[in-house]
Amino acid sequence: AYLPARTAMGSDGVMMTNPGDVDADVLILAGVPIGEPVAAQGTWVMNSQLELDQATNDYNAGRFGIPWPHTLPDADWRQLVTGSSRAKRRDSD
C-alpha cells in the first residue's frame, strides 16, 4: 500500500511510525509547490487522468524502454541495475 503524507512549508518535521510487523520502505521528497494539478495512479504521477492514460498506453506499447524483470530477487536486481554481467534474467530462462 502507498500512504502519502504531506507537511506544510515551515513545519517542524515529520514523524512516522510503523505499527505493523512488516518492514516499510520510505521515500521522502521535498520541494516548492509548483501549483499544478496532480493525478496519481499506482506509482505514476501526472497532471491529469488523460496523461495517466497516455502513459499507460505508451508503457503497454513498449515506448518506455526495455521492461525489467519484475520477479527478480533483490540481490539479482541489484546486480542487474549496477551493470554486472553475472545478472541473470529469470524471464529468459
Side-chain angles (χ1 to χ4, degrees):
Y2 299 97
L3 303 173
R6 295 184 180 183
T7 63
M9 289 180 62
S11 66
D12 290 335
V14 177
M15 184 174 106
M16 290 184 247
T17 59
N18 181 6
D21 58 356
V22 178
D23 290 342
D25 293 319
V26 177
L27 173 64
I28 299 176
L29 303 173
V32 177
I34 60 172
E36 296 282 335
V38 175
Q41 180 176 311
T43 59
W44 299 22
V45 179
M46 300 289 188
N47 292 115
S48 69
Q49 184 62 47
L50 184 64
E51 289 178 354
L52 286 169
D53 294 342
Q54 183 62 53
T56 301
N57 291 337
D58 289 345
Y59 177 79
N60 290 336
R63 292 188 286 264
F64 275 20
I66 300 169
W68 54 274
H70 300 276
T71 58
L72 287 178
D74 288 347
D76 290 350
W77 173 245
R78 280 188 205 95
Q79 287 178 346
L80 185 64
V81 298
T82 59
S84 170
S85 61
R86 296 177 309 202
K88 182 178 178 183
R89 291 185 59 161
R90 295 213 188 287
D91 59 349
S92 63
D93 289 342

